[in-house]
Amino acid sequence: MKPIYLDNNATTAIAPEVYEAMQPYLTELYGNPSSMHTFGGQIYRKIQEARAQVSKLIGAEPEEIIFTSCGTESDNSAIMSALRVFPQKKHIITTKVEHPAVLNLCKHLSRRGYRVTFIPVDNLGKLDIDFLFKSLDEDTAIVSIMYANNETGVIFPIREIGYVLKERKILFHTDAVQAVGKIPINLQELPVDMLSLSGHKLHAPKGVGALYVRKGVRFSPFIIGGHQENGRRGGTENVASIIAIGKACELAEKHITYESSYLSKLRNKLENSLIEKCPDARINGDRENRLPNTTNISFEFVEGEAILLNLDSYGICASSGSACTSGSLEPSHVLRAMGVPFTAIHGSIRFSLSRYTTEEEIDKVIEVMPKIIKSLRELSPYGKKKESKCY
Ligand code: PLP
């Protein structure tokens, strides 16, 4: 049975066009792009084509793109580069709601002599910008703020922050792994020095990413080795996946406007119907400023993992912010930072849609979810105290 896959912020299906484009580079076109011969040289040219495709999607120049192994490597490369370029500066600013790719690196650095400021968010997941601006000082090496949150979809005011940082001449990195391909990004108008993206969030395979580094911004490589990527990232290129991410960016660029309105319509239908049909359900995050494909809903007095297991029995894939399903000991740090009550965090479910999501699939979720919540509430000690009506 084909799953109803609503976990696209975790990873996406490889687009058929992307698979077709990458396939020859896994089989007959296996040359090394650094080789002198024609067989390898043609691969080098394809990599340059992919670089142009990626740069076009985000309004960058091809020379500003460094291919990496994933979003995590891009994030780590950006932050570590800033610390190497400004060895005298020991202060990093980030947020409390970053993905572990940034958050855990910053926590690690805070145990290695760096001072890290974690900017809080309000109960809608919106960033406390005044706190951010007041935290800037002469010692700040880099500010790293995600473009859009992976759990709630909330979009941060990157442009506004960027203008202030540009004036203060402080390096600015944004983790745009969840934003690229979902909402338009134009780096010609966006004052950002470095930006991370990842292939598997936009219908390319896992294990390939890119880091944008603005022309003129000093960069110190994270992976030191050969001369690949203009000496900015050693290691023989993951050719097929680089071709794939290029094609995925080309597709995203072509369809971004249509997809964004298609997805927000479906997402709104899903969340409005679930809120209407299930009492004690609430949307987590600012509904005004969100990725079009994401909704995070708390169903109070039920366990997220129980909901996921029930959804799974209908072939529906989603994810939850509770500890057991997130693979960590702690429930969602994002929802905790937003002050979402404990009972609501445990029953939080993230649905994330993609261009392949159909209205029939959404209707199926709308049909089964209220039944699942009702039956789980009847079993739960909290739920028994509440009148459990689900329509
Ligand atoms: N940043 C954000 C916001 C993400 O959502 C993710 C993945 O979920 C990453 C970084 C890490 O990307 P990758 O899985 O390519 O390392």
Side-chain angles (χ1 to χ4, degrees):
M1 185 176 72
K2 184 175 165 281
I4 296 179
Y5 188 75
L6 299 179
D7 203 10
N8 287 280
N9 286 8
T11 198
T12 58
I14 298 178
E17 301 91 328
V18 168
Y19 183 61
E20 196 187 331
M22 75 186 285
Q23 227 186 1
Y25 299 88
L26 290 167
T27 50
E28 68 265 32
L29 295 174
Y30 53 82
N32 187 324
S34 297
S35 297
M36 286 296 287
H37 42 72
T38 315
F39 187 61
Q42 63 183 329
I43 313 286
Y44 178 78
R45 280 190 295 281
K46 279 303 282 188
I47 289 184
Q48 296 310 84
E49 201 180 304
R51 203 182 304 284
Q53 288 166 317
V54 173
S55 65
K56 190 152 179 262
L57 175 63
I58 55 176
E61 297 293 327
E63 315 80 73
E64 295 174 316
I65 302 297
I66 302 171
F67 288 116
T68 64
S69 69
C70 58
T72 303
E73 184 192 321
S74 301
D75 288 341
N76 274 245
S77 304
I79 293 171
M80 295 310 292
S81 169
L83 302 182
R84 288 200 199 99
V85 167
F86 300 112
Q88 71 287 7
K89 299 192 177 193
K90 302 287 181 203
H91 181 216
I92 303 163
I93 298 179
T94 187
T95 78
K96 288 189 168 182
V97 296
E98 295 296 309
H99 185 273
V102 168
L103 195 65
N104 286 346
L105 172 65
C106 288
K107 286 182 183 167
H108 168 84
L109 290 166
S110 73
R111 294 189 291 269
R112 299 277 182 293
Y114 289 92
R115 185 165 53 91
V116 184
T117 305
F118 296 94
I119 308 297
V121 294
D122 68 10
N123 60 1
L124 291 177
K126 296 204 282 194
L127 205 60
D128 187 339
I129 302 200
D130 289 339
F131 192 120
L132 165 56
F133 292 155
K134 280 184 193 139
S135 305
L136 299 170
D137 61 36
E138 294 302 307
D139 197 34
T140 309
I142 186 164
V143 176
S144 180
I145 310 276
M146 68 195 331
Y147 205 111
N149 187 269
N150 45 304
E151 293 191 28
T152 59
V154 171
I155 298 169
F156 285 153
I158 296 301
R159 180 186 308 274
E160 194 183 335
I161 298 167
Y163 279 120
V164 172
L165 296 181
K166 191 175 172 187
E167 219 175 275
R168 299 278 301 257
K169 296 190 170 47
I170 295 174
L171 270 187
F172 185 26
H173 164 250
T174 182
D175 173 349
V177 163
Q178 290 294 344
V180 171
K182 293 175 187 155
I183 50 174
I185 292 179
N186 183 0
L187 285 158
Q188 274 173 17
E189 300 167 352
L190 197 68
V192 158
D193 297 307
M194 292 185 272
L195 175 146
S196 303
L197 63 122
S198 174
H200 74 108
K201 310 292 182 178
L202 71 154
H203 303 291
K206 296 152 192 68
V208 64
L211 177 66
Y212 157 86
V213 181
R214 187 176 291 281
K215 223 181 270 173
V217 168
R218 281 166 65 202
F219 181 77
S220 168
F222 187 59
I223 297 189
I224 298 168
H227 58 271
Q228 293 90 352
E229 297 300 288
N230 242 336
R232 296 187 294 179
R233 200 269 183 186
T236 302
E237 297 87 341
N238 180 358
V239 175
S241 293
I242 288 174
I243 309 292
I245 196 174
K247 184 70 187 174
C249 287
E250 183 191 273
L251 288 175
E253 199 220 340
K254 226 182 256 172
H255 302 299
I256 200 163
T257 313
Y258 168 74
E259 274 177 24
S260 143
S261 87
Y262 171 74
L263 289 175
S264 57
K265 251 182 242 155
L266 277 190
R267 186 270 315 272
N268 293 348
K269 177 176 182 180
L270 174 65
E271 66 182 14
N272 289 336
S273 307
L274 294 184
I275 293 292
E276 187 194 311
K277 288 169 189 282
C278 303
D280 292 319
R282 50 178 274 177
I283 312 279
N284 296 313
D286 179 18
R287 293 181 83 169
E288 296 300 310
N289 242 326
R290 252 186 323 167
L291 294 174
N293 77 320
T294 308
T295 180
N296 188 311
I297 311 177
S298 279
F299 301 91
E300 289 215 61
F301 317 115
V302 252
E303 286 297 326
E305 43 268 50
I307 302 174
L308 289 188
L309 282 175
N310 277 267
L311 284 172
D312 197 48
S313 70
Y314 289 98
I316 299 166
C317 310
S319 67
S320 135
S322 64
C324 304
T325 47
S326 62
S328 86
L329 294 175
E330 300 282 340
S332 162
H333 67 285
V334 176
L335 300 184
R336 275 187 297 142
M338 289 163 61
V340 176
F342 189 72
T343 50
I345 294 181
H346 279 277
S348 69
I349 299 291
R350 177 188 69 187
F351 296 103
S352 45
L353 288 56
S354 83
R355 69 172 73 126
Y356 302 118
T357 307
T358 64
E359 185 149 18
E360 291 73 46
E361 291 177 326
I362 293 299
D363 288 340
K364 181 73 187 169
V365 180
I366 294 170
E367 179 201 322
V368 304
M369 194 69 178
K371 294 183 207 160
I372 293 174
I373 299 300
K374 182 172 187 293
S375 68
L376 289 174
R377 285 212 178 120
E378 281 165 3
L379 294 173
S380 100
Y382 292 104
K384 276 181 188 151
K385 285 188 216 141
K386 306 273 298 182
E387 194 186 352
S388 180
K389 276 191 242 142
C390 267
Y391 311 100

